[in-house]
Amino acid sequence: MAPRADLLRLAAVADALLLLLATGLVVFYAPADAVQGVVQKIFYLHVPAAIAAYMAFAVVLVGGLVYLWNESPAADRLARAAAEVGLVLTTVTLVMGSIWAKPIWGTYWVPWDARLVSTLVLWLIYAGYLLMRRIATPGRQAARFGAVVGIVGFIDVPIVHFSVTWWRTIHPPIETAAPGALPPAMLLTFAISSLAVLLLAAVLIGYRYRLEALRERLAAALDR
Amino acid sequence: MSYLIGAYGFAIVLLAGYVIYLVRQARSVAARMDEVEEGGPAAG
């Protein structure tokens, strides 16, 4: 059930090349923004990291649903792996966004801004999920409770995404998919960066899953 | 420019740190697994 080591290694190598290409595009190809200057290039990792975090939390949701349905240990393992990777990516999103905000908004953080606060809540939900999984005695009860937290916690993902349209917020809406929203050079750089970060998230989840499986095998061997 | 370097610097350090953590954990668990399977000192 664990992802094959050779396939994971291949994906990791492919992603390393893709990340190098994305870096080259961000540094040498994508033009500086006419209004914000070079600081706008934070966009090429800030937004893909947020999208990849959404995807990781969607995996936690699916893993939780599958676990509640058939109590598959693999589904629980996958959910735990994805929650950790999602948390790392949400940290990247929050900190990069905060650093970007300083020269543009004049402050690192806007208290009670809907997008910022809902993203911080998302971080706290999955940090709580991982803390609970670490503290709780491994077993059926912890896995079931974790699945419920992972499912309920996902409610915050659409809230984060649509917060910019549901409430008045200083954070700009994401309109990269709209025709003409970004010049072609920026759009290509964004597409390659997004692909690289999404593949990175998948590779990290794969390796984290294998680590969890190995830990469980070790615990079982020690119990014998 | 310093904000750009700061933002990417933080992201690179965090992601690279996480990758190193995963690799070290995997190596340590695999080494312990080998010890246990061989019935070495760690098994007891």
Side-chain angles (χ1 to χ4, degrees), chain A residues 53-67:
Chain A
Y54 289 172
M55 297 298 128
F57 295 142
V59 172
V60 181
L61 168 76
V62 173
L65 288 170
V66 171
Y67 184 80

Side-chain angles (χ1 to χ4, degrees), chain A:
Chain A
M1 188 65 195
R4 279 173 47 186
D6 53 347
L7 283 181
L8 258 181
R9 204 169 298 125
L10 188 68
V13 170
D15 192 46
L17 295 174
L18 210 51
L19 284 166
L20 271 176
L21 174 64
T23 306
L25 289 174
V26 171
V27 175
F28 302 110
Y29 179 66
D33 184 76
V35 178
Q36 298 189 15
V38 288
V39 78
Q40 180 272 342
K41 291 189 179 199
I42 289 174
F43 166 81
Y44 300 112
L45 185 53
H46 170 72
V47 177
I51 296 169
Y54 289 172
M55 297 298 128
F57 295 142
V59 172
V60 181
L61 168 76
V62 173
L65 288 170
V66 171
Y67 184 80
L68 290 182
W69 176 50
N70 64 8
E71 298 204 343
S72 152
D76 180 50
R77 217 176 284 142
L78 182 65
R80 266 183 293 165
E84 193 172 287
V85 173
L87 188 70
V88 170
L89 290 165
T90 308
T91 308
V92 169
T93 307
L94 273 170
V95 174
M96 288 191 92
S98 218
I99 295 172
W100 190 2
K102 179 64 179 164
I104 305 304
W105 300 342
T107 177
Y108 288 107
W109 191 260
V110 180
W112 308 117
D113 179 87
R115 168 56 73 86
L116 275 57
V117 171
S118 57
T119 309
L120 181 62
V121 168
L122 189 70
W123 190 93
L124 289 169
I125 288 169
Y126 289 95
Y129 170 94
L130 289 169
L131 191 65
M132 185 275 291
R133 296 309 303 264
R134 180 153 290 196
I135 292 169
T137 310
R140 191 167 169 264
Q141 197 178 6
R144 284 178 71 84
F145 187 63
V148 171
V149 173
I151 292 164
V152 175
F154 189 79
I155 292 170
D156 194 38
V157 170
I159 294 176
V160 171
H161 187 73
F162 292 110
S163 58
V164 287
T165 47
W166 290 346
W167 294 287
R168 195 182 303 161
T169 159
I170 194 169
H171 194 285
I174 304 299
E175 290 173 343
T176 47
L182 283 179
M186 285 186 171
L187 196 58
L188 176 70
T189 307
F190 175 67
I192 300 289
S193 303
S194 298
L195 200 62
V197 176
L198 281 170
L199 185 56
L200 175 69
V203 168
L204 289 176
I205 291 172
Y207 276 112
R208 185 64 185 79
Y209 179 99
R210 286 180 65 85
L211 172 62
E212 205 59 42
L214 200 59
R215 276 182 181 156
E216 286 172 17
R217 265 182 55 205
L218 176 63
L222 287 170
D223 281 347
R224 279 201 297 268

Side-chain angles (χ1 to χ4, degrees), chain B residues 7-40:
Chain B
Y8 274 94
F10 171 82
I12 289 165
V13 167
L14 181 70
L15 292 170
Y18 184 61
V19 169
I20 291 166
Y21 160 77
L22 286 184
V23 170
R24 291 179 71 163
Q25 285 288 311
R27 281 183 184 164
S28 141
V29 176
R32 184 112 169 83
M33 193 75 203
D34 287 345
E35 283 176 8
V36 172
E37 282 174 348
E38 287 164 13

